[in-house]
Amino acid sequence: MTATLIWILVVLVAIGLYLSWTAGRLDRLHARIDAARAALDAQLLRRASVAQELATSKVLDPAASIVLYEAAHAARQAEEEQREVAESELSQALRAVFADVQQLEAVREAPGGEEAARELTEAVRRVPMARRFHNDAVGAVRRLREHRKVRWFRLAGHAPFPMAFEMDDEPPSALAGRGT
């Protein structure tokens, strides 16, 4: 009788340790999402800031400046529910303005333009990477939260179900082929 109780106790402790380890892993993954989201937000803000700065520098033609400024301003001011749409519109505006390599060359020829073009190229390239890291972290949490043990024992606690950040982040062709 004592041996049976000891084995039951050992099994219960092992199950408890496993559930505790799983809950800790889930917590670490949620922290990873938070860090990845902060990095994504920083890259999106950097891209919008560089685009807005470029739009106000009087290097671009007036129509391109207005389009780029309005899209960048809307992306910076967007509420969380509209952020994906606003960031996609900024991507579209960047592609429209820099669809032609000559526009980028005009920026490079202006005083300080080489630095501005380099900053824009870096910002445009970093957004898809940051979004991919965020969405990979979201996918890992979702896969773990789909397991029965996580649902049955409510190991996720009150953490909201993570959502991927879906946006159009294709870089302009003039910026995609250039070195940083």
Side-chain angles (χ1 to χ4, degrees), residues 54-116:
L54 190 59
T56 58
S57 69
K58 298 183 182 180
V59 173
L60 303 172
D61 64 83
S65 292
I66 290 171
V67 167
L68 195 56
Y69 181 84
E70 287 180 355
H73 181 71
R76 290 183 73 177
Q77 301 298 319
E79 296 293 324
E80 192 60 36
E81 304 84 43
Q82 298 300 319
R83 184 99 187 262
E84 293 172 350
V85 173
E87 293 295 345
S88 293
E89 288 173 355
L90 177 56
S91 295
Q92 293 166 1
L94 284 167
R95 280 198 307 273
V97 169
F98 293 104
D100 189 10
V101 177
Q102 294 166 343
Q103 187 75 281
L104 183 61
E105 292 306 319
V107 169
R108 288 185 184 280
E109 291 170 3
E114 191 67 38
E115 178 69 20

Side-chain angles (χ1 to χ4, degrees), residues 11 18 23 43 53-54 58 60 74 83 92 122 139-140 144 146 174:
V11 168
Y18 178 70
Q43 292 305 320
E53 183 179 314
L54 190 59
K58 298 183 182 180
L60 303 172
R83 184 99 187 262
Q92 293 166 1
E122 287 178 6
L144 185 58
E146 288 173 356

Side-chain angles (χ1 to χ4, degrees), residues 22-33:
T22 303
R25 179 172 173 235
L26 191 57
D27 186 50
R28 288 188 301 276
L29 287 173
H30 275 284
R32 187 172 133 204
I33 286 178

Side-chain angles (χ1 to χ4, degrees), residues 119-155:
E119 281 184 39
L120 182 63
T121 301
E122 287 178 6
V124 165
R125 284 188 175 172
R126 288 180 180 176
V127 166
M129 287 188 292
R131 189 176 74 85
R132 198 170 311 121
F133 288 140
H134 175 267
N135 289 349
D136 287 348
V138 167
V141 168
R142 284 180 164 190
R143 284 188 297 278
L144 185 58
R145 285 182 71 162
E146 288 173 356
H147 291 186
R148 277 187 232 137
K149 66 181 177 254
V150 173
R151 290 192 320 262
W152 288 350
F153 292 102
R154 299 175 191 255
L155 298 180

